[in-house]
């Protein structure tokens, strides 16, 4: 999240957090959920400190920071580096893992299977691996998808979709979500919420899938369809690729089809960021509520592992601000939803 006005810039522990973040990313990549969570908790605890945490003892005094992490914090502050991180960066297995997991739709299981099969480069995959259509698009446009998308270009993609939608149905709306809505100067992809006053999911989906997406494909704006949702008829997402004639770079574009009644919950979900969403959902569950992309629900019974036992009753889904209000948190404008 370095691209949208890094909230750590003024924090005395920003350098420590930056390095811990890289370790967390590494552990997340190799599927070590336990360590990933431990690192994330330590980072958020450090973010709240007003002073530079210098020594193991100072670090240990902070709740949620254990012995091993405290030693790492001391090493980072003393040497401005972390040997454990440098080891992972030199590990050729991890480098290939990173390369392969950078392909659209490829997670740890697929990437490690390819490595076990002897593949080491994108060319290996291109020529020798058995790729799905989406994976092939991901490999062939690997460089394009790595490029950040300037804010003005994100807006242009949004306009093109909006114009095509208006022609098909003037009561529709397009809202650009994701990092763009948070005010980022560049984005990793283009996230579009598609909604319509009084429109149902089925109605909006059909409009897009049967009319607008084929048209935009014929016009040459949409280049490929990637994941288009699990059970196609009920899915609210469509992932694909779009490009402008200039610069012509292939961009990842995500549509989220949203019934008007669920707009507020969808806005929260699709604005993110993912860490902010996670903390809001955790807060809801602590208050015996449940928040997801469809709404905020009350009276949710949970078991000991916070797993839900009952669905609960919908209390709000259309109004973004009211969802914050009912959760008892002051409204946060999108620019302030980094974590
Ligand atoms: N999202 C989430 N949990 C995830 C993935 C996504 O809650 N695991 C939500 C929050 C994200 C939004 O969806 O902000 C859009 O997802 P993106 O992956 O497009 O992420 P961003 O738009 O935030 O960043 P980027 O600029 O990298 O696309
Ligand atoms: Mg995005
Ligand atoms: Mn996205």
């Amino acid at each position: 999240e370095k691209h949208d006005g890094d909230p750590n810039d003024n924090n005395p522990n920003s350098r420590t957090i930056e390095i811990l973040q890289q370790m967390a990313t590494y552990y997340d990549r190799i599927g070590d959920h336990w360590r990933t969570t431990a690192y994330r908790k330590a980072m958020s605890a450090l973010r709240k400190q007003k002073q530079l945490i210098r020594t193991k003892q100072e670090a240990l005094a902070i709740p949620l920071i254990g012995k091993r992490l405290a030693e790492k914090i001391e090493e980072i502050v003393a040497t401005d580096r972390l040997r454990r991180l440098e080891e992972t960066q030199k590990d050729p297995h991890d480098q290939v893992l990173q390369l392969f997991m950078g392909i659209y739709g490829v997670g740890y299981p697929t990437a490690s299977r390819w490595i076990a099969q002897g593949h080491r480069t994108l060319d290996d995959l291109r020529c020798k691996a058995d790729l799905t259509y989406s994976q092939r698009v991901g490999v062939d446009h690997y460089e394009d998808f790595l490029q950040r998308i300037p804010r003005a270009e994100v807006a242009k993609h949004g306009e093109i979709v909006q114009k095509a939608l208006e022609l098909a149905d003037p009561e529709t709306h397009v809202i650009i979500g994701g990092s763009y809505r948070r005010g980022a100067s560049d984005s990793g992809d283009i996230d579009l919420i598609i909604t319509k006053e009084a429109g149902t999911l089925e109605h909006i989906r059909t409009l897009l899938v049967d009319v607008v997406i084929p048209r935009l494909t014929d016009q040459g704006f949409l280049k490929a369809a990637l994941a288009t949702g699990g059970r196609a008829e009920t899915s609210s997402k469509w992932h694909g690729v779009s490009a402008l004639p200039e610069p012509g770079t292939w961009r990842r574009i995500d549509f989220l089809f949203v019934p008007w009644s669920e707009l507020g919950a969808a806005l929260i979900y699709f604005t993110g960021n993912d860490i902010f969403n996670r903390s809001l959902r955790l807060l809801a569950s602590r208050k015996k509520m449940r928040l997801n992309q469809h709404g905020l629900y009350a009276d949710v019974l949970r078991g000991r592992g916070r797993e839900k036992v009952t669905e609960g009753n919908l209390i709000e889904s259309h109004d973004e601000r009211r969802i914050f209000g009912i959760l008892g948190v002051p409204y946060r404008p999108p620019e302030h939803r980094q974590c």
Side-chain angles (χ1 to χ4, degrees):
E1 296 308 319
K2 278 181 213 121
H3 303 274
D4 18 346
D6 197 335
N8 297 324
D9 281 345
N10 302 319
N11 190 297
N13 296 290
S14 59
R15 173 68 180 156
T16 313
I17 293 168
E18 185 192 334
I19 291 185
L20 295 182
Q21 172 68 66
Q22 293 179 49
M23 284 304 294
T25 304
Y26 166 74
Y27 284 126
D28 193 30
R29 187 163 59 243
I30 65 170
D32 189 333
H33 302 298
W34 191 84
R35 281 198 177 79
T36 308
T37 307
Y39 272 78
R40 286 196 179 133
K41 283 181 180 161
M43 284 158 52
S44 91
L46 272 183
R47 221 171 261 132
K48 292 183 190 127
Q49 303 302 312
K50 301 267 180 293
Q51 266 145 32
L52 174 65
I53 302 303
R54 224 175 259 283
T55 66
K56 183 178 162 187
Q57 274 67 32
E58 287 168 2
L60 274 172
I62 301 170
L64 300 176
I65 296 186
K67 185 170 151 277
R68 305 284 289 272
L69 256 156
E71 285 166 356
K72 290 196 171 60
I73 290 168
E74 186 172 85
E75 181 186 338
I76 293 167
V77 177
T79 66
D80 198 40
R81 47 191 274 233
L82 185 63
R83 283 164 302 169
R84 184 71 192 85
L85 178 65
E86 287 168 12
E87 279 166 27
T88 72
Q89 289 164 344
K90 278 183 223 137
D91 177 1
H93 180 272
D94 187 55
Q95 282 171 4
V96 180
L97 206 55
Q98 249 187 90
L99 177 78
F100 288 177
M101 286 176 74
I103 299 166
Y104 171 81
V106 174
Y108 182 74
T110 306
S112 38
R113 179 165 45 84
W114 283 337
I115 295 174
Q117 289 166 351
H119 303 304
R120 295 292 178 271
T121 65
L122 295 181
D123 266 334
D124 289 345
L125 295 181
R126 221 175 259 132
C127 309
K128 293 180 244 161
D130 190 17
L131 302 178
T132 65
Y133 172 74
S134 294
Q135 289 165 350
R136 189 160 294 281
V137 171
V139 171
D140 286 343
H141 298 274
Y142 196 88
E143 293 303 321
D144 273 6
F145 295 157
L146 273 187
Q147 307 291 317
R148 305 289 303 175
I149 313 167
R151 189 170 177 83
E153 188 182 333
V154 176
K156 269 195 199 141
H157 287 246
E159 270 166 39
I160 288 172
V161 174
Q162 183 162 21
K163 288 223 174 83
L165 255 173
E166 264 169 18
L167 274 178
D169 184 334
E171 278 161 34
T172 51
H173 302 272
V174 176
I175 302 164
I176 309 180
S179 49
Y180 179 93
R181 188 164 185 250
R182 299 197 308 273
S185 55
D186 50 48
S187 293
D189 68 354
I190 299 141
D191 300 300
L192 302 181
I193 287 181
I194 318 280
T195 188
K196 175 183 169 162
E197 284 167 53
T200 63
L201 172 61
E202 292 69 32
H203 179 78
I204 297 165
R205 228 198 88 78
T206 308
L207 186 67
L208 268 287
V209 173
D210 293 352
V211 182
V212 178
I213 289 172
R215 240 181 238 172
L216 287 171
T217 307
D218 289 344
Q219 286 173 21
F221 171 71
L222 289 178
K223 301 292 186 187
L226 301 168
T228 48
R231 283 185 303 132
E233 309 80 54
T234 56
S235 171
S236 57
K237 71 167 190 184
W238 188 92
H239 288 186
V241 183
S242 57
L244 301 178
E246 273 304 316
T249 315
W250 281 31
R251 307 298 198 184
R252 283 271 304 103
I253 189 165
D254 290 341
F255 294 156
L256 188 68
F257 310 134
V258 178
W260 189 248
S261 62
E262 296 179 5
L263 183 58
L267 274 171
I268 291 178
Y269 162 71
F270 219 37
T271 300
N273 64 10
D274 51 345
I275 296 164
F276 177 78
N277 286 352
R278 219 179 296 142
S279 64
L280 217 51
R281 286 174 184 206
L282 186 64
L283 181 86
S285 89
R286 288 207 187 102
K287 300 198 168 181
K288 299 201 166 34
M289 292 187 264
R290 181 165 63 99
L291 176 65
N292 62 24
Q293 74 181 81
H294 303 293
L296 178 66
Y297 304 80
D299 310 317
V300 181
L301 286 179
R302 287 182 193 269
R304 298 180 67 183
R306 288 204 181 275
E307 78 281 8
K308 65 176 189 302
V309 179
T310 61
E311 290 293 319
N313 308 311
L314 178 68
I315 18 179
E316 180 61 57
S317 58
H318 176 72
D319 189 324
E320 191 180 20
R321 278 177 186 267
R322 268 202 77 207
I323 294 176
F324 279 84
I326 297 164
L327 282 171
V329 286
Y331 177 75
R332 277 227 233 164
E335 302 78 44
H336 293 117
R337 297 186 198 167
Q338 308 310 346
C339 41

